[in-house]
Amino acid sequence: MKKAAILITVLITALSFLPMQARASAIEEENKVLDSLEAFEQVMEIPEQGIPPALLNNAEGIAIIPNVIKAAFILGGRYGTGVVMLREEKNEWSNPLFISITGGSIGWQIGAQSTDIILVFKSRRGVENIVNGKFTLGADASIAAGPVGRHAEAGTDIQLKAEIYSYSRSKGLFAGISLEGASLQVDYDSLESFYGRGVTPREVFSDKDIMVPDVAKRPKKAVGKYTAQ
């Protein structure tokens, strides 16, 4: 009987921590949304050296992945989590869907750094493919280092032959970046913590019958501000 009483006490104690753990996790996801918003806004504050307006105005999707860690000692690796959004009707944007990026490289390299990454999707296909499963940049969709600056459309690849354009911001510097071979996939743990158990990626995009935290509206509004046609 004594052992049973101890077991019950342990179980009750453990269960009492679950709401606190759930709330702590939800706060973590809120911070991911806010970090993504901050990364995007900081990039857009440097219009002369940022993403060309013509590219943003025609974007069908945008992914913002702040604080991507790239570490290397002969073998390199990359990992980060962020959000992706789809353009909807009337220039409105979908709720942010949590995603992760992973990738690696081989070569003589050493060092570590944290980088903000922005991906601009020319079509919905790339974002839809992320929802359908693991999505490899360069293999499942063509990707190119994005042109930089207001006048970049006058040259290079602004004719938009690639499906996805990639950018990075590290130590205040903003430039196109090659991300071929990196993989994107839905971060289901963050999805569940933020929107609730059982919510699917397509429900996040459609915004039907789900509870959307107020913080999710902020990146939608910010991206919409800079992608008006």
mmCIF file of all heavy atoms in Angstrom, residues 167-193:
data_model
loop_
_atom_site.group_PDB
_atom_site.id
_atom_site.type_symbol
_atom_site.label_atom_id
_atom_site.label_comp_id
_atom_site.label_asym_id
_atom_site.label_seq_id
_atom_site.Cartn_x
_atom_site.Cartn_y
_atom_site.Cartn_z
ATOM 1 N N TYR A 167 18.569 33.865 -49.716
ATOM 2 C CA TYR A 167 19.339 34.972 -49.160
ATOM 3 C C TYR A 167 19.823 34.616 -47.760
ATOM 4 O O TYR A 167 19.212 33.792 -47.071
ATOM 5 C CB TYR A 167 18.481 36.230 -49.077
ATOM 6 C CG TYR A 167 18.048 36.776 -50.411
ATOM 7 C CD1 TYR A 167 16.871 36.331 -51.003
ATOM 8 C CD2 TYR A 167 18.810 37.729 -51.077
ATOM 9 C CE1 TYR A 167 16.463 36.827 -52.235
ATOM 10 C CE2 TYR A 167 18.414 38.232 -52.304
ATOM 11 C CZ TYR A 167 17.240 37.782 -52.874
ATOM 12 O OH TYR A 167 16.848 38.267 -54.095
ATOM 13 N N SER A 168 20.893 35.276 -47.349
ATOM 14 C CA SER A 168 21.389 35.095 -45.982
ATOM 15 C C SER A 168 21.816 36.438 -45.405
ATOM 16 O O SER A 168 22.216 37.347 -46.131
ATOM 17 C CB SER A 168 22.585 34.136 -45.961
ATOM 18 O OG SER A 168 23.717 34.759 -46.564
ATOM 19 N N ARG A 169 21.696 36.547 -44.108
ATOM 20 C CA ARG A 169 22.155 37.741 -43.400
ATOM 21 C C ARG A 169 22.965 37.299 -42.199
ATOM 22 O O ARG A 169 22.473 36.608 -41.323
ATOM 23 C CB ARG A 169 20.981 38.611 -42.941
ATOM 24 C CG ARG A 169 21.408 39.953 -42.357
ATOM 25 C CD ARG A 169 20.186 40.748 -41.923
ATOM 26 N NE ARG A 169 19.562 40.155 -40.758
ATOM 27 C CZ ARG A 169 19.843 40.521 -39.497
ATOM 28 N NH1 ARG A 169 20.720 41.453 -39.268
ATOM 29 N NH2 ARG A 169 19.228 39.944 -38.493
ATOM 30 N N SER A 170 24.229 37.668 -42.202
ATOM 31 C CA SER A 170 25.120 37.274 -41.119
ATOM 32 C C SER A 170 26.018 38.442 -40.757
ATOM 33 O O SER A 170 26.622 39.069 -41.640
ATOM 34 C CB SER A 170 25.972 36.073 -41.548
ATOM 35 O OG SER A 170 26.861 35.695 -40.519
ATOM 36 N N LYS A 171 26.073 38.786 -39.484
ATOM 37 C CA LYS A 171 26.908 39.880 -38.999
ATOM 38 C C LYS A 171 26.614 41.179 -39.754
ATOM 39 O O LYS A 171 27.524 41.930 -40.097
ATOM 40 C CB LYS A 171 28.384 39.503 -39.120
ATOM 41 C CG LYS A 171 28.789 38.313 -38.269
ATOM 42 C CD LYS A 171 30.250 37.985 -38.419
ATOM 43 C CE LYS A 171 30.626 36.785 -37.560
ATOM 44 N NZ LYS A 171 32.055 36.420 -37.706
ATOM 45 N N GLY A 172 25.338 41.405 -40.045
ATOM 46 C CA GLY A 172 24.941 42.644 -40.683
ATOM 47 C C GLY A 172 25.047 42.641 -42.195
ATOM 48 O O GLY A 172 24.561 43.556 -42.859
ATOM 49 N N LEU A 173 25.681 41.648 -42.778
ATOM 50 C CA LEU A 173 25.830 41.568 -44.224
ATOM 51 C C LEU A 173 24.697 40.752 -44.825
ATOM 52 O O LEU A 173 24.331 39.692 -44.309
ATOM 53 C CB LEU A 173 27.184 40.941 -44.586
ATOM 54 C CG LEU A 173 28.426 41.699 -44.100
ATOM 55 C CD1 LEU A 173 29.690 40.920 -44.447
ATOM 56 C CD2 LEU A 173 28.482 43.097 -44.704
ATOM 57 N N PHE A 174 24.157 41.240 -45.930
ATOM 58 C CA PHE A 174 23.031 40.572 -46.586
ATOM 59 C C PHE A 174 23.422 40.247 -48.016
ATOM 60 O O PHE A 174 23.916 41.108 -48.746
ATOM 61 C CB PHE A 174 21.801 41.472 -46.567
ATOM 62 C CG PHE A 174 20.566 40.822 -47.138
ATOM 63 C CD1 PHE A 174 19.921 39.808 -46.447
ATOM 64 C CD2 PHE A 174 20.061 41.206 -48.361
ATOM 65 C CE1 PHE A 174 18.789 39.204 -46.967
ATOM 66 C CE2 PHE A 174 18.933 40.614 -48.896
ATOM 67 C CZ PHE A 174 18.299 39.609 -48.190
ATOM 68 N N ALA A 175 23.208 39.001 -48.455
ATOM 69 C CA ALA A 175 23.607 38.596 -49.804
ATOM 70 C C ALA A 175 22.884 37.328 -50.203
ATOM 71 O O ALA A 175 22.301 36.631 -49.368
ATOM 72 C CB ALA A 175 25.122 38.365 -49.850
ATOM 73 N N GLY A 176 22.937 37.019 -51.497
ATOM 74 C CA GLY A 176 22.411 35.752 -51.966
ATOM 75 C C GLY A 176 23.297 34.626 -51.458
ATOM 76 O O GLY A 176 24.482 34.816 -51.177
ATOM 77 N N ILE A 177 22.719 33.454 -51.333
ATOM 78 C CA ILE A 177 23.470 32.311 -50.812
ATOM 79 C C ILE A 177 23.058 31.052 -51.559
ATOM 80 O O ILE A 177 21.905 30.904 -51.956
ATOM 81 C CB ILE A 177 23.211 32.123 -49.293
ATOM 82 C CG1 ILE A 177 24.072 30.997 -48.733
ATOM 83 C CG2 ILE A 177 21.744 31.889 -49.016
ATOM 84 C CD1 ILE A 177 23.934 30.820 -47.214
ATOM 85 N N SER A 178 23.990 30.147 -51.763
ATOM 86 C CA SER A 178 23.682 28.873 -52.395
ATOM 87 C C SER A 178 23.284 27.864 -51.325
ATOM 88 O O SER A 178 24.027 27.634 -50.372
ATOM 89 C CB SER A 178 24.896 28.350 -53.165
ATOM 90 O OG SER A 178 24.628 27.076 -53.703
ATOM 91 N N LEU A 179 22.120 27.284 -51.489
ATOM 92 C CA LEU A 179 21.630 26.306 -50.500
ATOM 93 C C LEU A 179 21.279 24.969 -51.155
ATOM 94 O O LEU A 179 20.482 24.218 -50.619
ATOM 95 C CB LEU A 179 20.394 26.864 -49.788
ATOM 96 C CG LEU A 179 20.634 28.004 -48.791
ATOM 97 C CD1 LEU A 179 19.307 28.541 -48.292
ATOM 98 C CD2 LEU A 179 21.490 27.534 -47.624
ATOM 99 N N GLU A 180 21.837 24.683 -52.296
ATOM 100 C CA GLU A 180 21.538 23.422 -52.963
ATOM 101 C C GLU A 180 21.905 22.247 -52.064
ATOM 102 O O GLU A 180 22.963 22.214 -51.447
ATOM 103 C CB GLU A 180 22.299 23.327 -54.293
ATOM 104 C CG GLU A 180 21.754 24.256 -55.351
ATOM 105 C CD GLU A 180 22.160 23.818 -56.752
ATOM 106 O OE1 GLU A 180 22.658 22.685 -56.885
ATOM 107 O OE2 GLU A 180 21.976 24.605 -57.680
ATOM 108 N N GLY A 181 20.989 21.292 -51.997
ATOM 109 C CA GLY A 181 21.211 20.112 -51.173
ATOM 110 C C GLY A 181 20.632 20.209 -49.778
ATOM 111 O O GLY A 181 20.493 19.189 -49.094
ATOM 112 N N ALA A 182 20.290 21.416 -49.341
ATOM 113 C CA ALA A 182 19.657 21.560 -48.025
ATOM 114 C C ALA A 182 18.217 21.062 -48.103
ATOM 115 O O ALA A 182 17.572 21.150 -49.145
ATOM 116 C CB ALA A 182 19.685 23.009 -47.577
ATOM 117 N N SER A 183 17.713 20.528 -47.007
ATOM 118 C CA SER A 183 16.368 19.956 -46.980
ATOM 119 C C SER A 183 15.448 20.753 -46.073
ATOM 120 O O SER A 183 15.856 21.207 -45.000
ATOM 121 C CB SER A 183 16.419 18.503 -46.483
ATOM 122 O OG SER A 183 17.151 17.692 -47.391
ATOM 123 N N LEU A 184 14.206 20.922 -46.521
ATOM 124 C CA LEU A 184 13.172 21.582 -45.737
ATOM 125 C C LEU A 184 12.083 20.584 -45.407
ATOM 126 O O LEU A 184 11.716 19.752 -46.242
ATOM 127 C CB LEU A 184 12.555 22.742 -46.524
ATOM 128 C CG LEU A 184 13.483 23.875 -46.961
ATOM 129 C CD1 LEU A 184 12.723 24.844 -47.865
ATOM 130 C CD2 LEU A 184 14.053 24.615 -45.761
ATOM 131 N N GLN A 185 11.548 20.663 -44.206
ATOM 132 C CA GLN A 185 10.419 19.829 -43.842
ATOM 133 C C GLN A 185 9.615 20.482 -42.726
ATOM 134 O O GLN A 185 10.104 21.374 -42.038
ATOM 135 C CB GLN A 185 10.870 18.429 -43.429
ATOM 136 C CG GLN A 185 11.864 18.379 -42.307
ATOM 137 C CD GLN A 185 12.417 16.968 -42.108
ATOM 138 O OE1 GLN A 185 11.935 15.997 -42.673
ATOM 139 N NE2 GLN A 185 13.442 16.856 -41.290
ATOM 140 N N VAL A 186 8.382 20.051 -42.601
ATOM 141 C CA VAL A 186 7.506 20.605 -41.563
ATOM 142 C C VAL A 186 8.037 20.240 -40.180
ATOM 143 O O VAL A 186 8.420 19.095 -39.928
ATOM 144 C CB VAL A 186 6.065 20.087 -41.737
ATOM 145 C CG1 VAL A 186 5.171 20.590 -40.600
ATOM 146 C CG2 VAL A 186 5.493 20.515 -43.082
ATOM 147 N N ASP A 187 8.060 21.205 -39.292
ATOM 148 C CA ASP A 187 8.443 20.984 -37.895
ATOM 149 C C ASP A 187 7.157 20.671 -37.123
ATOM 150 O O ASP A 187 6.492 21.564 -36.608
ATOM 151 C CB ASP A 187 9.134 22.228 -37.352
ATOM 152 C CG ASP A 187 9.598 22.076 -35.911
ATOM 153 O OD1 ASP A 187 9.252 21.055 -35.275
ATOM 154 O OD2 ASP A 187 10.276 22.986 -35.408
ATOM 155 N N TYR A 188 6.819 19.399 -37.062
ATOM 156 C CA TYR A 188 5.538 19.000 -36.482
ATOM 157 C C TYR A 188 5.465 19.242 -34.982
ATOM 158 O O TYR A 188 4.379 19.502 -34.449
ATOM 159 C CB TYR A 188 5.253 17.527 -36.798
ATOM 160 C CG TYR A 188 4.787 17.322 -38.213
ATOM 161 C CD1 TYR A 188 5.673 16.925 -39.213
ATOM 162 C CD2 TYR A 188 3.459 17.564 -38.577
ATOM 163 C CE1 TYR A 188 5.249 16.750 -40.532
ATOM 164 C CE2 TYR A 188 3.024 17.392 -39.888
ATOM 165 C CZ TYR A 188 3.927 16.988 -40.863
ATOM 166 O OH TYR A 188 3.505 16.832 -42.143
ATOM 167 N N ASP A 189 6.581 19.158 -34.286
ATOM 168 C CA ASP A 189 6.564 19.418 -32.845
ATOM 169 C C ASP A 189 6.169 20.869 -32.567
ATOM 170 O O ASP A 189 5.337 21.153 -31.694
ATOM 171 C CB ASP A 189 7.939 19.122 -32.240
ATOM 172 C CG ASP A 189 8.247 17.632 -32.190
ATOM 173 O OD1 ASP A 189 7.287 16.837 -32.243
ATOM 174 O OD2 ASP A 189 9.436 17.283 -32.111
ATOM 175 N N SER A 190 6.764 21.794 -33.315
ATOM 176 C CA SER A 190 6.421 23.209 -33.141
ATOM 177 C C SER A 190 4.998 23.484 -33.598
ATOM 178 O O SER A 190 4.280 24.277 -32.979
ATOM 179 C CB SER A 190 7.401 24.080 -33.930
ATOM 180 O OG SER A 190 8.706 23.979 -33.400
ATOM 181 N N LEU A 191 4.588 22.839 -34.673
ATOM 182 C CA LEU A 191 3.222 22.986 -35.182
ATOM 183 C C LEU A 191 2.208 22.618 -34.106
ATOM 184 O O LEU A 191 1.255 23.361 -33.846
ATOM 185 C CB LEU A 191 3.040 22.099 -36.416
ATOM 186 C CG LEU A 191 1.609 21.891 -36.932
ATOM 187 C CD1 LEU A 191 1.011 23.192 -37.424
ATOM 188 C CD2 LEU A 191 1.590 20.853 -38.056
ATOM 189 N N GLU A 192 2.423 21.504 -33.442
ATOM 190 C CA GLU A 192 1.495 21.045 -32.412
ATOM 191 C C GLU A 192 1.517 21.945 -31.184
ATOM 192 O O GLU A 192 0.475 22.263 -30.607
ATOM 193 C CB GLU A 192 1.848 19.606 -32.013
ATOM 194 C CG GLU A 192 0.926 19.013 -30.975
ATOM 195 C CD GLU A 192 1.242 17.552 -30.674
ATOM 196 O OE1 GLU A 192 1.229 16.745 -31.623
ATOM 197 O OE2 GLU A 192 1.524 17.240 -29.500
ATOM 198 N N SER A 193 2.703 22.392 -30.799
ATOM 199 C CA SER A 193 2.819 23.256 -29.618
ATOM 200 C C SER A 193 2.131 24.596 -29.830
ATOM 201 O O SER A 193 1.541 25.157 -28.909
ATOM 202 C CB SER A 193 4.297 23.492 -29.279
ATOM 203 O OG SER A 193 4.933 22.284 -28.931
#
